[in-house]
């Protein structure tokens, strides 16, 4: 009996995925759990294994196409069932819903962020944060729920955007995150006409690259597009504030040297990141608001501490998650960090390993950066940035001494986390690192 191959859901808020590459072709034999195709979403690039053994008899979705989760993208059967048609030339996807033409009485968003030149239509004039043409926020009906993901609806709610005015480019007319961000950037819901004005260009800059221009033009990768959309959305959503602390890692460095051989016997390298993760867990226990999220007027306090560890890839960045990090000792955290980083770079992460994070740590310091101002990984409310760890001269008891130092930066959402709380949280991390006294606990 033929086995359908579905587009997996690589995260709780993921509504669609893009097929980047088919590893197998029609007629190829496949084993169960053997890599079948590669996908890209706004959270992860991953190789998807075959759900059953057999022969790839049909490919329904071409490389580069984006489809909704749980859509059938291929079929596995027997060699006698191999499709005689061209690969990916099966029944067409459902037609997209026709664009909705705004009427003069339609609600059009006027509070465009970071668009000083946008000129919203007069009908969308705001009064006390609402449209003057309608004093009530747009009602979210069942038809709109079917055409958008929870993430898109949250963006619409936070920015008073009427989803029914947006033409969706997703499957069946679904409004994607890209659609709503593009709609908000346009200022009036009208997509870019392609006409460029002088204000769009710098002095002396050509309108568009000509065949004689010494430039190379390449399209953004799927992952790069998704990262861009996610970062812009985060800046729109959260009121970003940053606090920077200078932290003494000398005690941690001493412990690393003492325990280096012991950890290497377990096949692990004891890194600074494991100590930082342990300190972050301790601070999150004391300040649960930093481990929370904001949903409208409600604060969602997370009982679990799930640490996201940003991993740099050649094509972008991915954030695998250490679930229940508060239940792990230093050895356990070291093992989890090394394992997730290795599998992230080889595209072997599982769907459940890239979502449900409650707090993220990113490490720009590995490339020499003194410190960074990281953007919050939504829907979290805080992110810790680690600067380069190096020996520096500092003043101790009126004398100059050389110590192993680093700058740690906390980026947090000021809608939920006050400055005093953010600084107290960082003071706790500083205390834990500078006076670290346990390896196994």
């Amino acid at each position: 009996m033929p086995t359908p191959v579905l587009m997996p859901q690589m995260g709780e808020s993921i509504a669609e995925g893009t097929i980047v590459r088919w590893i197998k072709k029609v007629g190829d034999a496949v084993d169960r759990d053997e890599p079948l195709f590669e996908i890209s979403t706004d959270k992860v690039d991953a190789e998807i294994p075959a759900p059953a053994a057999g022969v790839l008899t049909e490919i329904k979705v071409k490389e580069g196409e984006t489809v909704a989760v749980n859509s059938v993208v291929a079929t596995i059967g027997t060699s006698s069932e191999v499709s005689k048609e061209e690969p990916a030339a099966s029944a067409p996807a459902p037609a997209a819903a026709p664009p909705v033409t705004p009427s003069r009485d339609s609600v059009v968003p006027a509070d465009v962020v970071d668009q000083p030149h946008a000129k919203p239509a007069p009908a969308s004039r705001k009064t006390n944060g609402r449209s003057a043409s309608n004093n009530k926020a747009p009602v979210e009906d069942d038809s709109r729920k079917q055409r958008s993901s929870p993430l898109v609806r949250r963006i619409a709610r936070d920015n008073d955007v009427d989803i029914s005015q947006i033409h969706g480019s997703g499957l069946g007319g679904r409004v994607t995150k890209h659609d709503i961000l593009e709609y908000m950037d346009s200022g009036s819901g009208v997509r870019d006409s392609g006409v460029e004005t002088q204000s769009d260009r710098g002095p002396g800059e050509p309108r568009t690259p000509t065949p004689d221009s010494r430039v190379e033009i390449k399209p953004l990768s799927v992952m790069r597009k998704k990262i861009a959309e996610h970062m812009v959305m985060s800046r729109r959503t959260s009121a970003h504030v940053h606090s920077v602390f200078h932290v003494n890692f000398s005690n941690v460095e001493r412990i690393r040297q003492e325990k280096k051989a012991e950890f290497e016997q377990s096949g692990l390298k004891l890194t600074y990141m494991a100590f930082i993760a342990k300190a972050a867990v301790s601070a999150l226990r004391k300040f649960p608001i930093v481990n929370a999220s904001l949903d409208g007027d409600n604060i969602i306090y997370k009982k679990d501490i799930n640490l996201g560890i940003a991993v740099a890839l050649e094509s972008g960045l991915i954030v695998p998650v250490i679930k229940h990090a508060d239940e792990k000792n230093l050895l356990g955290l070291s093992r989890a960090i090394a394992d997730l980083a290795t599998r992230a770079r080889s595209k072997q992460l599982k769907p459940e390993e890239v979502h449900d994070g409650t707090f993220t740590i990113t490490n720009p310091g590995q490339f020499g950066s003194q410190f960074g101002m990281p953007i919050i990984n939504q829907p979290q409310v805080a992110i810790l940035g680690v600067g380069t760890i190096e020996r520096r001269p500092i003043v101790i008891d009126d004398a100059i001494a050389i110590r192993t130092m680093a700058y740690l930066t906390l980026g947090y959402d000021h809608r939920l986390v006050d400055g005093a709380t953010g600084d107290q949280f960082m003071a706790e991390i500083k205390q834990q690192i500078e006076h670290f006294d346990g390896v196994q606990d």
Side-chain angles (χ1 to χ4, degrees):
M1 182 176 179
T3 301
V5 180
L6 305 181
M7 172 64 71
Q9 184 169 20
M10 299 295 285
E12 57 185 343
S13 63
I14 300 300
E16 58 191 12
T18 301
I19 292 187
V20 178
R21 178 173 65 99
W22 280 100
I23 300 172
K24 297 289 186 177
K25 63 181 183 293
V26 171
D28 285 353
V30 295
D31 293 327
R32 181 181 176 87
D33 295 329
E34 183 180 8
L36 186 60
F37 61 100
E38 184 179 331
I39 70 167
S40 182
T41 72
D42 63 354
K43 289 193 174 184
V44 64
D45 278 7
E47 292 179 352
I48 306 305
V55 174
L56 183 59
T57 59
E58 185 181 16
I59 292 177
K60 293 178 174 289
V61 180
K62 297 178 182 179
E63 293 181 353
E65 287 189 1
T66 300
V67 296
V69 299
N70 295 324
S71 298
V72 177
V73 299
T75 304
I76 294 176
T78 63
S79 57
S80 62
E81 299 169 337
V82 175
S83 173
K84 303 301 181 182
E85 301 177 353
E86 288 292 323
S90 54
V100 180
T101 304
S103 66
R104 291 187 178 182
D105 296 328
S106 297
V107 178
V108 182
D111 51 341
V112 182
V113 181
D114 297 332
Q115 292 291 327
H117 301 297
K119 295 182 179 180
S124 61
R125 177 174 55 86
K126 295 282 183 171
T127 302
N128 295 328
R130 298 182 183 272
S131 170
S133 63
N134 190 342
N135 289 330
K136 295 184 178 181
V139 177
E140 186 177 330
D141 58 26
D142 291 339
S143 64
R144 258 200 266 157
K145 286 184 180 180
Q146 295 172 358
R147 298 197 319 116
S148 60
S149 68
L151 174 61
V152 169
R153 294 197 294 275
R154 188 178 75 238
I155 297 173
R157 183 179 67 244
D158 291 345
N159 294 275
D160 286 336
V161 173
D162 184 356
I163 297 180
S164 67
Q165 300 300 316
I166 304 174
H167 171 52
S169 64
L171 185 66
R174 171 182 288 273
V175 177
T176 68
K177 184 169 63 176
H178 174 76
D179 293 331
I180 191 170
L181 294 179
E182 184 180 28
Y183 178 92
M184 292 165 62
D185 281 337
S186 71
S188 62
V190 180
R191 297 189 184 276
D192 185 3
S193 64
V195 178
E196 187 181 48
T197 64
Q198 182 61 40
S199 62
D200 297 324
R201 309 188 305 273
E205 188 174 281
R207 288 181 179 272
T208 56
T210 66
D212 296 332
S213 301
R214 293 184 58 80
V215 298
E216 181 181 6
I217 300 175
K218 290 184 177 181
L220 286 174
S221 66
V222 173
M223 173 176 270
R224 193 74 262 162
K225 286 181 182 178
K226 301 297 185 182
I227 291 174
E229 293 170 3
H230 195 65
M231 294 297 97
V232 171
M233 183 271 289
S234 181
R235 294 291 291 185
R236 293 180 191 279
T237 302
S238 297
H240 281 68
V241 179
H242 294 84
S243 293
V244 182
F245 275 57
H246 205 196
V247 180
N248 190 338
F249 278 79
S250 298
N251 186 44
V252 165
E253 175 60 17
R254 176 184 58 80
I255 296 174
R256 286 183 66 237
Q257 296 304 320
E258 291 176 354
K259 300 292 182 179
K260 181 178 179 180
E262 178 182 332
F263 272 67
E264 287 179 349
Q265 288 178 358
S266 301
L268 294 171
K269 182 179 180 181
L270 183 55
T271 66
Y272 292 111
M273 183 58 71
F275 290 89
I276 295 169
K278 194 82 169 90
V281 165
S282 178
L284 289 167
R285 283 173 175 162
K286 289 192 175 183
F287 299 92
I289 192 70
V290 184
N291 198 55
S293 64
L294 191 60
D295 182 19
D297 295 330
N298 298 319
I299 302 174
I300 302 176
Y301 288 93
K302 310 294 178 63
K303 300 298 183 181
D304 298 326
I305 296 178
N306 299 332
L307 288 185
I309 306 294
V311 178
L313 308 176
E314 290 184 5
S315 57
L317 187 75
I318 194 171
V319 185
V321 177
I322 301 174
K323 302 292 181 64
H324 308 292
D326 51 325
E327 299 176 2
K328 299 182 183 297
N329 59 17
L330 195 67
L331 178 62
L333 287 171
S334 295
R335 182 175 287 115
I337 291 170
D339 172 60
L340 288 175
T342 298
R343 290 193 291 112
R345 295 187 178 103
S346 61
K347 300 181 181 180
Q348 299 300 315
L349 291 174
K350 300 175 183 177
E352 62 269 19
E353 293 174 325
V354 294
H355 64 94
D356 289 338
T358 60
F359 183 82
T360 295
I361 303 175
T362 183
N363 184 20
Q366 63 183 310
F367 305 112
S369 174
Q370 291 294 302
F371 56 85
M373 298 293 177
I375 297 175
I376 297 167
N377 186 15
Q378 297 295 325
Q380 299 166 27
V381 296
I383 182 170
L384 183 68
V386 181
T388 188
I389 302 174
E390 60 186 5
R391 291 177 64 79
R392 299 175 190 150
I394 63 171
V395 176
I396 300 178
D397 297 330
D398 294 331
I400 296 178
I402 304 298
R403 296 291 185 268
T404 302
M405 307 291 296
Y407 290 103
L408 301 185
T409 302
L410 181 71
Y412 54 97
D413 190 340
H414 212 349
R415 297 178 305 163
L416 188 58
V417 182
D418 292 330
T421 303
D423 286 347
Q424 290 168 353
F425 176 84
M426 286 299 290
E428 176 65 23
I429 288 183
K430 178 181 173 74
Q431 168 73 15
Q432 290 292 324
I433 290 175
E434 293 185 346
H435 300 88
F436 198 95
D437 60 0
V439 175
Q440 299 301 325
D441 56 342

